[in-house]
Each structure stands twice: as C-alpha cells, then as structure tokens.
Amino acid sequence: KHPGRLKGDTVTTHEFTSLTEFIPAEDKINYLIVAGGGGGATFLGGGGGAGGVRMATNFPVEPGTPYVISIGAGGAAGNPGPSNSNTQDGSTGEGSFIQKTPLHIGTNGGGGASRYNGSAGASGGSGGGNARPGATRSTHIRFTTANGHGDPYSGTQIFVNGPLTQGYRGGAANTNDSPSGGGGAAGDGQDACPVNASNNPTVVLFGGNGGPPIEYLSRSPSISTTKYLAGGGGGGVFNTSNPDTYPLQGVGQLGGGTSTPTLKGGAGDGGITSRLVSPFGASDPATPDQNGQDATANTGGGGGGAGYNNNSTHRRELKGGAGGSGLILIEELISRRLQIFETKVFTSSTTFTTQATKADYLIVAGGGGGGHEIAGGAGAGGFRMGTGLGLQKGVTYTVSVGGGGSG
C-alpha cells in the first residue's frame, strides 16, 4: 500500500439531454430531474404547463453500476383546423427519469393546454393553461406509485410546492374567451383576463402569463452559469378589434411570466394577432399574425398558446408552440478525504475481490516464441493501460494471465 494523500472537495456536474447511461464514481449524488413541457394550444390557446421537477441531495447510489437516464420529449403543439371543432389542444410532455430496477425516480410531463371549446387544460408536472370557459382548473400531479413515479426514496428530498409535489397549477379561463397561462415549476399560471368584452371592436382580450421557472445554480466549474428551467407557457390573445375603425395588435402573454428571455425557464410566449392596417403609418406599421412560440429544448418549458384574430382571414391557421424537452443534472461531490492506494500484481490466472470503486490498470499479454534455426525474434505481448476504471465494491473479478508463445 502506498502512503495516503488528501484530496480537496470538488463537484462534478453531469448534464444529460438524451437517453443514455450514467455510471457514478461516488456513493452519493445530488440530482435535478426536469420532464418535458406541455404544448400550447391553437385557437385561443392556453400556454403549456412546465415539466415536473424533482430534486434531492445526498441520494445513495452504487458506484460503478450503470443507471438508465431517460429524457422526456416536449408535448406537441396544438394545430389549427378548417373549423373550430377540428382545432387541437396541446399535448402533454413526457416524463424524465433515472432508473436501475427496481429503483425508478422520475417526473411527469407538463400538462397540455386547452383551446377554446376544447378539453380542459391537462394536469401534469405543472398544469396546462385553460381556454375553455368554466373548465376545471388543471393542477400538478403528486409523486405517487400510481402516476408511475414512485414516492421519494433516500436522501434529502426538495419539493417545489409542498410535500410530494413537482409543479404548480395552470391558470383559469374566464367566460369571455381569454386563455390562461400554463403552470410553472415555481408558481401558478396566471388566470385569463377578466374583462367582459367579447366582440367589442375596441378591445383586445389578453390571456394569462405562464408561471415562473426554478433557478438552478451549479457548484461545478463545468457549468458556470445559472440555469432557469421549467417556466409555464404564456396564453394566447383574443383580438376582437375592428381593423377599419380601431385596429389593435394583440400580443400573447409572457412565457415564464417575464419578458427577459434568459429568465423564462425556456417557456414560449403566446402568439401575436395582427394589426391588419395601421392608424399611425410607418411609425407604427402593421404586423403579421404569429404562432405561439415553441419552448426551448432541454428546459422543460411550456409552449405558448396561439391567439385568435376575429378579423383576420386566416384566423384559424395559427398554431400553438411545442413544449421543451426535459433535462437531468447530476452532481457528484468528491469529499475531502484520505485516499489509500494499493497495487496488486498478478502473474498467474486467479480472482480477486475489491473494496475500491475505481482502479488504474496495466495489462501485458504473453510474448510470442522465437523461431528455430536462423529465425526472427518474436513480438512482444500486447500492452494496455488506463485510469479511473469503475468497479463495484465486494464483487469478485476474474484475472487471466496469458502464457508466452513456444520457441
């Protein structure tokens, strides 16, 4: 055994954005799991709910053992149709999880938003925004075995909205055709505009803002910036203004509840409805209709809802925004501790059992035998070395040492 040496505290953060495996080097991790966000709806669409969020510190894992990492896709956007009845709600996002059977630690996708006269906004990690007047307000799903993501396990669990929660509710619609915002990971989606002004030629009915995101501050040098994740999508807008007498632009509401792009948690804004003509000329020009904004990939943000222009010839052609795919962040803390090194030399085939979680290795194969009578020299055995090979404590490994070739 070699003399021990002290190693300082370091944090390594692993960022996962697609299906893969993770092999921990330490016996405890911190994790942040974000599911895919919900899609925004078309035709007076609500904003999609943020993907569910799950966090823990000092979670025990088995070093050297592979864990499956699965990242949820964002929910599809609601598409327009030839008539009101054929338009689409936004789809619910997919869950993200860490798994090593029987362990399954996951979150639910954000709820898909509803369109006017569609279904109610879907419940999910955070609830989708509503556009259906009088519909039940969507909510967040709690961590239970029944929803596919079991109760919390070991470690210190951190919940965003009380015990066993992973998000917030979507906003409520009103009776006047205004859609609401999707729920965020740090707050409810905003309710729709309460003004009773349907078909008023001088009014734009604004939807609700999406709920706010969470803030993640990494302790790892590999991820030096603060991340804002899982904001709720902004609701669309109902533009009832008359383009000939009182033209107004309808601006969809804010994803993540803010106009600052970096603070939205990846959420999309609601769509814009056009001002077909401008009363102010070149200083304030007419604007085209715009779809609800897609959420940013790998943020879990909800998609923005589509607006509806009561005077536009293509008023049903606007679509909602797609939800953002999820993300998993894992921190490994290498604590300050005394490290002991032991060298084992094997000269014949055998087995050995280790209590280490990592190993450096040097492997040399048997050399070839030299030829007979004025023959050439034989080749050396193959050579291979490496560092940081993951091992499992208490597991017995086989060692095979090759013999030299005959002369």
Side-chain angles (χ1 to χ4, degrees):
K1 293 185 177 181
H2 298 284
R5 64 186 175 95
L6 289 174
K7 185 165 184 173
D9 289 348
T10 60
V11 174
T12 299
T13 301
H14 307 274
E15 181 172 350
F16 301 102
T17 58
S18 60
L19 180 67
T20 187
E21 282 190 343
F22 165 64
I23 301 177
E26 302 298 314
D27 60 3
K28 285 186 173 64
I29 61 170
N30 303 335
Y31 65 72
L32 167 63
I33 304 174
V34 181
T42 185
F43 186 37
L44 284 178
V53 171
R54 187 169 191 166
M55 296 176 281
T57 60
N58 296 316
F59 186 83
V61 292
E62 298 179 32
T65 301
Y67 289 74
V68 174
I69 300 291
S70 182
I71 305 300
N79 287 309
S83 66
N84 295 352
S85 61
N86 293 329
T87 56
Q88 294 178 345
D89 296 333
S91 298
T92 295
E94 295 179 352
S96 298
F97 59 83
I98 302 172
Q99 180 172 288
K100 175 185 168 294
T101 305
L103 180 70
H104 180 97
I105 312 166
T107 54
N108 289 90
S114 70
R115 70 197 189 283
Y116 181 70
N117 282 340
S119 305
S123 295
S126 284
N130 271 299
R132 178 171 180 165
T136 301
R137 184 173 186 166
S138 63
T139 188
H140 54 82
I141 296 176
R142 292 179 178 271
F143 293 123
T144 64
T145 303
N147 71 39
H149 302 300
D151 296 331
Y153 298 87
S154 304
T156 302
Q157 301 291 318
I158 302 170
F159 302 110
V160 296
N161 184 22
L164 301 180
T165 61
Q166 53 182 321
Y168 281 77
R169 302 178 301 170
N174 63 23
T175 59
N176 305 307
D177 308 335
S178 294
S180 64
D188 289 346
Q190 187 180 40
D191 293 345
C193 168
V195 176
N196 186 6
S198 183
N199 296 318
N200 187 323
T202 65
V203 169
V204 172
L205 296 177
F206 292 100
N209 290 331
I214 61 164
E215 179 182 359
Y216 168 79
L217 179 60
S218 173
R219 296 179 295 162
S220 171
S222 62
I223 301 179
S224 58
T225 59
T226 300
K227 288 180 176 290
Y228 292 88
L229 301 167
V237 60
F238 185 23
N239 191 343
T240 69
S241 63
N242 188 313
D244 298 319
T245 61
Y246 203 89
L248 296 173
Q249 177 183 351
V251 179
Q253 295 302 81
L254 302 172
T258 177
S259 60
T260 305
T262 56
L263 305 181
K264 287 180 174 292
D269 291 344
I272 293 175
T273 55
S274 65
R275 184 196 343 245
L276 302 180
V277 295
S278 174
F280 307 109
S283 64
D284 190 11
T287 54
D289 288 336
Q290 295 180 17
N291 296 323
Q293 290 182 351
D294 293 340
T296 304
N298 301 123
T299 63
Y308 180 81
N309 193 330
N310 202 39
N311 296 287
S312 172
T313 58
H314 54 283
R315 56 191 174 192
R316 294 191 185 95
E317 295 175 8
L318 301 179
K319 63 178 292 187
S325 52
L327 176 76
I328 292 180
L329 296 169
I330 293 178
E331 292 181 345
E332 288 189 286
L333 175 63
I334 303 175
S335 302
R336 185 173 177 83
R337 64 195 186 279
L338 185 67
Q339 293 188 325
I340 304 298
F341 295 86
E342 180 178 6
T343 300
K344 292 182 179 290
V345 178
F346 301 101
T347 58
S348 60
S349 297
T350 184
T351 61
F352 79 99
T353 302
T354 179
Q355 297 303 313
T357 60
K358 284 185 177 180
D360 300 341
Y361 61 86
L362 168 64
I363 303 173
V364 180
H372 180 63
E373 293 185 0
I374 318 178
F383 173 87
R384 184 172 185 174
M385 63 186 301
T387 61
L389 175 68
L391 300 175
Q392 297 183 48
K393 291 182 180 179
V395 173
T396 298
Y397 292 85
T398 299
V399 174
S400 179
V401 177
S406 299

